[in-house]
Amino acid sequence: MSVTAQKLTSEQFLRMTAPDEVEMELSEGQIVVMTKPGYVHQRVVRRLSRLLEDFCERTGWGEFVVDMLVRLSEYTSRAPDLSGVRRERASIIGADRLEQPPDIAIEVHSRNRAEDRGPKFEQYREAGVGAYWMIDPASRSLEAYRLQDGEYVLVWHGRNSAVFRPEELPGFELPLELLW
């Protein structure tokens, strides 16, 4: 749901404040009010975050941040549930947002499912996010897309207890059952 009449830049949006009970993102200059996630969504994000943090500490791959704004373009700032940034690009992590697109964006579906599959999918692709994972707790599934020649290509889909081994995180294994 868009609530602004004029087109905002990512810089203007960053300077705005919102009530604690409201989550907002910027999509092509328009504020999008996001529904706060429920318990199942938060549990999946928390579990995955812990696994990814352990992996990063063990391997030095880089860092994952949770629910942090990402400047995707002049008029678009989104907040993936998790954003992965390789060690050599760590300088893009600012105090308030990622100044450039992450290497990996992860969205856990909740009530904002249409945003994840529609506008966010396209905006992450256009911004050059190398990998986009969508996790659906309702169907206990994960879809992984990789950017190839400017388009997202589905490279993995698994359900229930399948084990995800993403190419962009060498040595990382995710038995999906750990998320549910």
Side-chain angles (χ1 to χ4, degrees):
M1 165 189 234
S2 179
V3 294
T4 57
Q6 70 180 26
K7 196 171 186 175
L8 293 174
T9 67
S10 289
E11 297 307 316
Q12 292 168 322
F13 180 70
L14 182 62
R15 290 191 298 271
M16 293 178 64
T17 58
D20 289 339
E21 58 277 352
V22 175
E23 290 193 16
M24 300 185 311
E25 296 181 357
L26 186 68
S27 178
E28 299 175 11
Q30 299 299 307
I31 292 175
V32 178
V33 177
M34 307 297 286
T35 304
K36 285 232 181 223
Y39 172 73
V40 172
H41 175 277
Q42 291 178 10
R43 184 182 65 204
V44 170
V45 170
R46 197 174 53 248
R47 288 176 177 179
L48 182 56
S49 177
R50 190 172 42 240
L51 294 167
L52 290 167
E53 181 148 341
D54 288 349
F55 170 78
C56 288
E57 287 178 7
R58 192 173 62 253
T59 65
W61 180 87
E63 191 164 348
F64 279 83
V65 295
V66 177
D67 199 32
M68 190 170 191
L69 275 178
V70 174
R71 183 183 190 282
L72 295 174
S73 72
E74 181 179 3
Y75 295 104
T76 301
S77 290
R78 292 295 196 159
D81 291 313
L82 289 149
S83 297
V85 178
R86 287 176 293 137
R87 178 183 58 241
E88 55 271 17
R89 296 185 65 231
S91 64
I92 72 168
I93 303 172
D96 299 312
R97 71 175 178 198
L98 271 65
E99 298 296 335
Q100 296 176 18
D103 298 293
I104 302 170
I106 303 170
E107 294 286 359
V108 177
H109 292 328
S110 58
R111 289 169 249 171
N112 300 312
R113 175 189 207 90
E115 280 291 311
D116 297 345
R117 291 199 162 279
K120 284 186 180 185
F121 187 92
E122 290 305 317
Q123 290 162 350
Y124 293 155
R125 181 188 62 75
E126 289 170 5
V129 175
Y132 182 34
W133 305 353
M134 286 188 280
I135 300 171
D136 186 353
S139 65
R140 295 184 171 207
S141 66
L142 184 150
E143 293 177 10
Y145 294 85
R146 189 168 304 118
L147 194 62
Q148 295 177 0
D149 300 320
E151 297 297 328
Y152 274 139
V153 175
L154 180 66
V155 293
W156 193 84
H157 179 262
R159 302 175 72 101
N160 298 320
S161 60
V163 178
F164 178 43
R165 295 175 182 89
E167 188 175 298
E168 52 273 358
L169 297 176
F172 180 72
E173 290 189 357
L174 174 60
L176 296 185
E177 64 193 354
L178 294 179
L179 301 178
W180 326 127

